[in-house]
Amino acid sequence: MIRSLYYLKAMGFNFVDTHTNHFEQVQNFQELKQLVSSCTLCQFSKTRKFGLMEPKIKNAKLLILDVFGQKSENESGILLNSKKGEKLKHYIYQILGLCDEDFYFSYLFKCFCNGKFDDFSLQSCLPFFWSELKLIQPAFLLCLGEYTFKSLGFKDYHILKGEVFAYKNFFIMPSYDLDFIEKNPSYEKNFIQDLKKIKG
């Protein structure tokens, strides 16, 4: 049904997106987690063992957003429970002095997607993140990678990478994702310099 509506919209038909309106009415974090854990809008719900969200809301000024979780996170239900996650936590602690409880972490895709995703799945998942963002109310949003940045509706990643700018009631900065740094280790220094801008 939902897929058919998207096809009709692409053909020029207009319809009331009650699904999006519903997410705008999410009242609390536990309600959002329940919506994620029961979502069946795309095929990735079939591979979900745990919804890839923090276990509880945090009073954190920094929100870090990446694209998708790892298999170990899906198996354990613990975010950043992976080699890549440990590396990110190391950067955040060494550069910003922040422990796990001091920042909030999120994925665009709330279900394990095994590194494969499409626009339909993204559009199904984005309302979850916007609700999450509204509940967390961070002072700073760090977007890891070009795909993450563009998925939020922004353009010119290569121009804005490493730049801090105001958006609504918080600051945002796009930077490299850790997969990119692993493949291009010479850019690690640039990533570290970007993190230092968060510290001020």
Side-chain angles (χ1 to χ4, degrees), residues 113-186:
C113 63
N114 200 26
K116 301 175 182 178
F117 42 86
D118 54 44
D119 187 62
F120 178 79
S121 301
L122 173 66
Q123 297 307 319
S124 299
C125 240
L126 270 177
F128 290 130
F129 172 70
W130 291 123
S131 293
E132 197 174 20
L133 182 67
K134 185 177 180 180
L135 290 170
I136 302 301
Q137 296 185 341
F140 202 107
L141 172 61
L142 172 63
C143 287
L144 298 180
E146 182 175 5
Y147 184 86
T148 302
F149 189 62
K150 287 186 174 180
S151 294
L152 299 185
F154 298 106
K155 299 179 180 179
D156 301 320
Y157 168 81
H158 295 286
I159 296 174
L160 295 174
K161 202 286 307 172
E163 297 294 329
V164 178
F165 61 94
Y167 176 73
K168 294 188 177 181
N169 58 341
F170 57 89
F171 291 99
I172 184 171
M173 180 179 69
S175 189
Y176 301 118
D177 61 84
L178 268 63
D179 288 329
F180 177 86
I181 294 173
E182 184 177 359
K183 296 175 183 176
N184 304 273
S186 62

Side-chain angles (χ1 to χ4, degrees), residues 23-88:
F23 282 109
E24 291 176 353
Q25 298 171 8
V26 172
Q27 298 298 315
N28 59 67
F29 190 75
Q30 290 306 315
E31 180 184 353
L32 180 59
K33 282 180 66 69
Q34 179 59 38
L35 286 170
V36 168
S37 64
S38 61
C39 176
T40 57
L41 286 174
C42 78
Q43 72 271 21
F44 298 135
S45 62
K46 298 176 182 178
T47 62
R48 179 184 63 230
K49 293 188 177 180
F50 290 94
L52 298 177
M53 288 183 65
E54 293 269 18
K56 60 182 180 180
I57 199 167
K58 295 178 181 178
N59 183 24
K61 294 183 178 180
L62 173 64
L63 191 160
I64 302 174
L65 179 64
D66 205 346
V67 181
F68 57 84
Q70 305 297 306
K71 182 179 180 180
S72 56
E73 293 169 286
N74 185 46
E75 297 284 345
S76 66
I78 302 173
L79 294 191
L80 301 177
N81 180 32
S82 65
K83 182 179 178 181
K84 186 173 79 168
E86 291 299 325
K87 185 69 173 178
L88 178 62

